[in-house]
Amino acid sequence: MNLRGAGSAVPVTIVLLAILVIWYAATIWLNAPWQLDMYQRNHVTAWSPTQFVTDTWNQDRPVLPSPHQVAVELWKTTAVVAVSSKKSLIYHAWVTLSATLLGFAMGSVLGILLAVFIVHNNAMDRSLMPWIVASQTVPILAIAPMIIVVLNAVNITGLLPKSLISTYLSFFPVVVGMVKGLRSPEQLQLDLMHTYNASRLQTFFKLRWPTALPYLFTSMKIAVAASLVGAIVGELPTGAVAGLGARLLGGSYYGQTVQIWSALFAASILAGLLVIAVGIVERLVVRRMGARP
Amino acid sequence: MTPLQKALALLAGLASLATLFVPYAVVQGQPVPAWYFSPVAALAVVTIGILLTFRNALRPAYCWAVALCAAIILLGTLSRIDKAGPGFWLVLVSGWLMAWLFAERLAGAIRSKKVGGRAFGFLIPLTLGAAILVIWEAVTRGGGVPTVLLPPPSSIWARITASLPLLAADFQQTFLKAVLIGYALGCGAGFLVAIAIDRSPFLKRGLLPLGSFVSALPMVGIAPIMVMWFGFDWPSKAAVVIIMTFFPMLVNTVAGLNASGSMERDMMRTYAAGYWQTLFKLRLPAAAPFIFNGLKINSTLALIGAIVAEFFGTPIVGMGFRISTEVGKMNVDMVWAEIAMAALAGSLFYGIVTLVERGVTFWHPSVRGG
């Protein structure tokens, strides 16, 4: 096997396996004190090392759940339980996903609009751009609970408050990427449009917009992941009603570590799927526009 | 003047003109006209006069002065009126249009090199910030917005000055302990691991895709686990910060270490430089822009991580704790005070990292170009 080859599948797999081994080892180490305590209390003296290891891997409320426990919990809460049930992780993931998608859509539209204004107006560029950058140094997630609670107080509930946080997090990468993208046509190309007597609108739709699309998709991949973070944090202050964030909070209230870890993995899988989905749309759009792979 | 500027000037003039003929506000149950407050009427007349007198030669300074006077007069009348009327909003709109016109005129002047962009460019964003604060104050107080929904900036400021010791204690708990310690350890670990795996192409190929995947994940989710493991006090928050900052730093440092060209590396070899000499004299300086990119991303991530981790359990001090409890008490101005402090701390943190970056990477085109 050629480990120095071009692909990165083999190294990634081996590193993943190593992480799995380390995880199992850490499970034994972290869960051992509680297990020893249990043995002492139940007067179990004759325990073998193998029994000890399997016991630490299968505790009810472990300090660190073992990978197979998380996998079983994920399987149970997605495949076995009915989707409509409150115990179903798919149900919670859907609640989070809908807020994420709404926020992502609003953030992308806002980002694109701002970028269009910034590119076409010098004063907008000078006045808005510094504040857009500054807006991201503000720990917006800290404001999340207030936005949720305050909007709840004036009877705006449901998806919108969560989505607003997602919007705030996701518009930034889109603005920055689109400003760069809309400015990426070279002077030569702009001059050509000028010799065609193209209006600003025509220049925008026939030159700037197509040139900016690759930048748009790159920044949308970042934006969709940020949007998910916003939705999850937005679910924390509502007091564990529904959504992956609520599962995290509920798990931490009741010490259900397996539930926390499975919610965390569900969120990671969701983030991966969303990024892949944006990538697929990108490939379709780019192919329609006539790009050759 | 461009068509947009003409439109702005026309609208500002019309708004000022209309101010003179509609009720300005309600005072003691009675609607009063603009000339009840003589500065308001004077402002409207002066605005129209300036727009008519200077027309195409309108200098940015005039617009700025008019907008500033509008802001001062508007805020000055706020305490004497019960409820804002159409005239009040017209003055606000005309002041906003004048501020916008100022930005347009100054940007145009900078573009045509009439005034230096370095000396005056910062005025444009500053004006926007001030305008937003003025509009916020005028809308919340003039329009009678309930303070639960959005308190005016003046009451937030009053709350900040009134509860400085409390804010300082929260700042110390969250920023000085959790954020700074976590940031230093997380970035340091990411940096060292990057240098360690840099020698092995196999590890680099295995860890890099995972690292960039993990840095896109919602890592704040580990906060409840860390709180469970390390307890309620700041070490659990620092642990969240360490994990959140580790991967962006790792990915950026590895990318940076690959940034030096083969030509330069060959030259180091002709000098018979060893691995460590090449690392310190060529590759780390070349990696600096990437490393600072990671440091800048992490400076905001660290603050978010620490504050969100406090939502999952904390001793009775800390910015995240204060935000979540004061929200429960509907004490919104205290929440905004914490947010203002968090924003200030975040911006300063980012600004300091940027300043250090400019000092260290003075040779980089993006710094040299100004």
Side-chain angles (χ1 to χ4, degrees):
Chain A
M1 196 159 48
N2 181 13
L3 288 183
R4 293 188 158 268
S8 58
V10 177
V12 169
T13 320
I14 291 180
V15 169
L16 276 179
L17 283 176
I19 290 175
L20 211 61
V21 170
I22 294 171
W23 187 347
Y24 268 116
T27 313
I28 302 175
W29 179 54
L30 282 170
N31 295 340
W34 192 82
Q35 196 61 48
L36 289 175
D37 199 36
M38 278 311 284
Y39 284 152
Q40 210 161 37
R41 261 190 236 173
N42 298 336
H43 305 292
V44 182
T45 41
W47 42 271
S48 64
T50 26
Q51 190 202 350
F52 177 71
V53 166
T54 40
D55 280 347
T56 52
W57 283 349
N58 294 301
Q59 288 177 2
D60 268 347
R61 290 183 179 190
V63 177
L64 176 66
S66 52
H68 68 261
Q69 278 179 307
V70 177
V72 167
E73 169 84 4
L74 268 177
W75 173 254
K76 255 201 300 198
T77 47
T78 50
V80 179
V81 183
V83 177
S84 54
S85 153
K86 287 240 168 179
K87 279 187 177 165
S88 167
L89 212 52
I90 299 206
Y91 163 77
H92 289 287
W94 167 246
V95 171
T96 305
L97 182 67
S98 48
T100 305
L101 289 180
L102 183 62
F104 172 61
M106 293 196 298
S108 299
V109 170
L110 179 69
I112 292 170
L113 282 181
L114 279 176
V116 170
F117 282 129
I118 285 171
V119 167
H120 284 96
N121 184 321
N122 198 243
M124 284 270 198
D125 179 22
R126 283 186 172 275
S127 57
L128 278 181
M129 216 43 200
W131 288 108
I132 288 175
V133 174
S135 77
Q136 300 301 308
T137 66
V138 176
I140 177 65
L141 291 180
I143 315 181
M146 194 194 57
I147 294 172
I148 305 276
V149 172
V150 163
L151 287 182
N152 276 348
V154 292
N155 279 327
I156 301 175
T157 48
L159 278 186
L160 197 64
K162 282 191 274 175
S163 309
L164 284 178
I165 296 156
S166 296
T167 307
Y168 191 98
L169 284 180
S170 56
F171 90 97
F172 177 70
V174 176
V175 174
V176 174
M178 277 307 272
V179 166
K180 209 171 183 183
L182 290 172
R183 284 202 178 131
S184 61
E186 285 167 35
Q187 197 56 46
L188 208 60
Q189 297 164 320
L190 286 169
D191 284 347
L192 184 69
M193 292 306 275
H194 203 63
T195 61
Y196 290 160
N197 194 21
S199 66
R200 284 181 96 166
L201 212 63
Q202 282 172 320
T203 311
F204 179 77
F205 280 110
K206 294 197 190 296
L207 174 61
R208 284 191 191 271
W209 179 254
T211 330
L213 273 184
Y215 291 86
L216 176 65
F217 281 111
T218 311
S219 37
M220 276 196 346
K221 280 181 200 163
I222 303 170
V224 82
S227 184
L228 182 65
V229 176
I232 289 177
V233 174
E235 281 159 358
L236 296 182
T238 51
V241 182
L244 292 175
R247 290 287 280 187
L248 284 177
L249 195 65
S252 95
Y253 277 167
Y254 305 115
Q256 296 284 358
T257 35
V258 184
Q259 182 186 326
I260 300 180
W261 281 89
S262 65
L264 205 55
F265 269 84
S268 307
I269 294 167
L270 199 59
L273 288 180
L274 284 170
V275 174
I276 290 172
V278 175
I280 290 173
V281 174
E282 173 183 20
R283 210 173 304 157
L284 289 179
V285 170
V286 167
R287 193 175 296 163
R288 258 193 77 93
M289 285 173 51
R292 274 174 229 108
Chain B
M1 288 219 276
T2 63
L4 175 65
Q5 292 172 6
K6 272 183 194 152
L8 288 175
L10 188 67
L11 282 175
L14 287 178
S16 297
L17 193 64
T19 311
L20 294 169
F21 300 103
V22 294
Y24 178 75
V26 180
V27 176
Q28 289 161 356
Q30 294 291 319
V32 295
W35 52 80
Y36 180 85
F37 299 104
S38 45
V40 175
L43 174 79
V45 173
V46 167
T47 309
I48 297 168
I50 283 180
L51 287 174
L52 284 178
T53 318
F54 294 102
R55 285 199 294 266
N56 279 330
L58 194 62
R59 299 176 88 171
Y62 303 154
C63 306
W64 189 75
V66 170
L68 186 69
C69 288
I72 292 171
I73 292 169
L74 207 61
L75 296 183
T77 60
L78 258 178
S79 56
R80 291 167 57 192
I81 62 176
D82 302 337
K83 198 171 173 302
F88 182 87
W89 302 121
L90 281 170
V91 173
L92 185 63
V93 167
S94 114
W96 163 253
L97 288 170
M98 290 308 281
W100 189 352
L101 195 57
F102 158 76
E104 283 282 339
R105 294 296 287 173
L106 186 57
I110 290 172
R111 197 173 218 184
S112 57
K113 303 247 160 68
K114 270 186 215 141
V115 295
R118 241 164 218 268
F120 292 100
F122 74 95
L123 277 175
I124 298 177
L126 215 63
T127 307
L128 179 73
I132 287 174
L133 278 182
V134 170
I135 292 173
W136 181 352
E137 179 86 20
V139 168
T140 46
R141 283 177 64 191
V145 176
T147 41
V148 176
L149 199 59
L150 190 66
S154 55
S155 78
I156 297 169
W157 178 247
R159 171 63 72 163
I160 291 177
T161 47
S163 44
L164 270 181
L166 197 65
L167 289 171
D170 290 345
F171 179 77
Q172 194 197 4
Q173 170 77 14
T174 304
F175 195 84
L176 297 184
K177 286 183 187 163
V179 171
L180 283 188
I181 293 173
Y183 181 80
L185 290 178
C187 291
F191 180 73
L192 291 180
V193 170
I195 288 178
I197 67 168
D198 180 60
R199 298 193 83 159
S200 150
F202 177 78
L203 270 183
K204 234 179 5 183
R205 219 152 350 112
L207 273 178
L208 259 199
L210 284 179
S212 33
F213 177 67
V214 171
S215 27
L217 292 185
M219 288 305 277
V220 274
I222 52 144
I225 298 164
M226 292 299 130
V227 171
M228 223 173 260
W229 286 4
F230 297 104
F232 278 0
D233 211 353
W234 63 269
S236 62
K237 282 80 198 171
V240 175
V241 176
I242 290 173
I243 293 177
M244 278 180 80
T245 53
F246 176 80
F247 288 101
M249 192 65 190
L250 176 74
V251 172
N252 274 293
T253 309
V254 170
L257 287 174
N258 291 332
S260 57
S262 55
M263 194 98 100
E264 293 129 5
R265 271 186 240 189
D266 282 349
M267 191 168 81
M268 291 307 276
R269 194 167 302 153
T270 60
Y271 289 161
Y275 170 81
W276 293 105
Q277 278 174 317
T278 314
L279 185 69
F280 280 112
K281 299 214 187 284
L282 168 65
R283 299 182 64 207
L284 279 184
F290 292 84
I291 293 172
F292 275 101
N293 186 33
L295 286 175
K296 279 200 272 191
I297 296 172
N298 280 344
S299 70
T300 51
L301 278 183
L303 203 51
I304 289 179
I307 292 180
V308 172
E310 287 185 358
F311 295 159
F312 287 96
T314 141
I316 52 160
V317 64
M319 292 155 87
F321 164 79
R322 194 75 57 208
I323 289 173
S324 51
T325 49
E326 298 293 332
V327 159
K329 291 192 246 166
M330 282 291 167
N331 229 345
V332 180
D333 51 352
M334 187 66 203
V335 179
W336 277 96
E338 288 285 349
I339 290 166
M341 198 176 59
L344 189 67
S347 305
L348 278 182
F349 197 7
Y350 188 90
I352 289 171
V353 175
T354 311
L355 276 184
V356 176
E357 178 188 21
R358 290 182 76 95
V360 173
T361 62
F362 57 89
W363 46 269
H364 196 260
S366 70
V367 178
R368 266 187 318 181

